Amino acid sequence: MKYYLTIDIGGTFIKYALIDDSYHLLETDKIPTPNTLTDFLTHVKELIATHKQQISGVAIACPGQINSKVGFIHRGGLIPYLRNLPLASHLERVSLLPVTVINDANAAGLAEARLGNLRDCSCGAALILGTGVGLALISDGNLLSFRNLQSHHMLIGPTTNDVQKNARFMAQKDILNLRVRGIESLLQNNGSAVQFIHKASDHLALPHDDGQAVFKA
């Protein structure tokens, strides 16, 4: 049986887990997300070094715009110091292990599509609420882009008459409106769980932001 180190990089914590090739979690923990790139790389390398004798590879979920084929982070989302970072190749050189880096929302969407609640779903979405807000669109176990969604035959279909043409136009209009609203929300970070907890903690008159107390209430 093979084992892998999986790492989720968030704006507040770096969460990690040791899993086997049947997707069973064997060990989980988290550390605060560092404030600098130097400290970030040091912590990630230490995590890999600690588990190196047990694992066959490393999988990393990360915020921002990422070329998942080569593991290059073009933009790090809410973690600016990750911008233009060849994370996968850097860690591979250091660890001599295969490393994969993928957008965190896409990772969550693929997990739901292949192992979770979106299995056998022809057109679905995973909405990820953390320090930021992420969205993954999936179809039959794979990721969809917005461009693919607009031409997806299960959603819009061919247009052979005026009724279908009108339905297609309305669907495209709704998709455009959704993208605009989503971008506005992302820029303002209005939809994040962190913002919700902050506002709810204030509403509940808690002495400080407390996620567990908010969800219990």
Side-chain angles (χ1 to χ4, degrees), residues 38-117:
T38 299
D39 289 343
F40 167 81
L41 291 174
T42 298
H43 281 76
V44 172
K45 291 174 187 176
E46 288 176 351
L47 287 178
I48 296 174
T50 300
H51 297 85
K52 185 175 180 179
Q53 300 306 315
Q54 300 170 271
I55 59 178
S56 299
V58 180
I60 298 176
C62 179
Q65 181 185 355
I66 299 168
N67 183 334
S68 58
K69 292 182 179 179
V70 297
F72 188 96
I73 305 172
H74 293 282
R75 289 195 293 269
L78 295 175
I79 309 179
Y81 60 70
L82 296 180
R83 183 182 179 89
N84 294 328
L85 177 65
L87 183 59
S89 60
H90 177 75
L91 295 176
E92 284 178 345
R93 286 196 301 270
V94 173
S95 67
L96 302 180
L97 289 167
V99 179
T100 298
V101 181
I102 188 174
N103 172 268
D104 51 2
N106 286 342
L110 281 174
E112 290 294 341
R114 297 180 179 178
L115 299 169
N117 291 321

Side-chain angles (χ1 to χ4, degrees), residues 103-110 118 124-128 134-138 143-144:
N103 172 268
D104 51 2
N106 286 342
L110 281 174
L118 297 179
L127 184 64
I128 315 304
L135 174 67
L137 305 174
I138 64 93
L143 290 170
L144 278 176

Side-chain angles (χ1 to χ4, degrees), residues 3-216:
Y3 300 92
Y4 303 91
L5 179 64
T6 60
I7 302 173
D8 176 43
I9 300 168
T12 307
F13 291 104
I14 296 176
K15 302 175 184 177
Y16 61 95
L18 184 67
I19 67 169
D20 62 25
D21 50 13
S22 296
Y23 305 107
H24 297 123
L25 295 176
L26 306 176
E27 174 189 332
T28 62
D29 206 346
K30 63 182 179 181
I31 58 175
T33 302
N35 295 320
T36 69
L37 178 59
T38 299
D39 289 343
F40 167 81
L41 291 174
T42 298
H43 281 76
V44 172
K45 291 174 187 176
E46 288 176 351
L47 287 178
I48 296 174
T50 300
H51 297 85
K52 185 175 180 179
Q53 300 306 315
Q54 300 170 271
I55 59 178
S56 299
V58 180
I60 298 176
C62 179
Q65 181 185 355
I66 299 168
N67 183 334
S68 58
K69 292 182 179 179
V70 297
F72 188 96
I73 305 172
H74 293 282
R75 289 195 293 269
L78 295 175
I79 309 179
Y81 60 70
L82 296 180
R83 183 182 179 89
N84 294 328
L85 177 65
L87 183 59
S89 60
H90 177 75
L91 295 176
E92 284 178 345
R93 286 196 301 270
V94 173
S95 67
L96 302 180
L97 289 167
V99 179
T100 298
V101 181
I102 188 174
N103 172 268
D104 51 2
N106 286 342
L110 281 174
E112 290 294 341
R114 297 180 179 178
L115 299 169
N117 291 321
L118 297 179
R119 281 180 295 180
D120 304 318
C121 180
S122 62
C123 190
L127 184 64
I128 315 304
L129 303 179
T131 305
V133 183
L135 174 67
L137 305 174
I138 64 93
S139 176
D140 299 323
N142 294 304
L143 290 170
L144 278 176
S145 67
F146 277 108
R147 180 176 299 176
N148 290 337
L149 181 63
Q150 292 181 30
S151 61
H152 196 275
H153 71 278
M154 295 297 292
L155 176 65
I156 299 176
T159 55
T160 59
N161 56 48
D162 290 341
V163 173
Q164 290 178 333
K165 288 180 180 178
N166 184 62
R168 182 184 181 91
F169 172 77
M170 294 302 296
Q172 291 176 328
K173 183 178 179 182
D174 288 342
I175 291 170
L176 178 60
N177 288 337
L178 177 63
R179 292 185 70 178
V180 171
R181 290 174 59 189
I183 291 171
E184 290 176 348
S185 180
L186 284 170
L187 290 174
Q188 299 172 19
N189 203 27
N190 287 333
S192 73
V194 171
Q195 287 293 326
F196 164 68
I197 289 170
H198 174 71
K199 293 179 181 179
S201 296
D202 183 63
H203 178 74
L204 294 169
L206 300 177
H208 55 81
D209 292 358
D210 189 331
Q212 292 186 354
V214 166
F215 281 101
K216 183 177 180 180

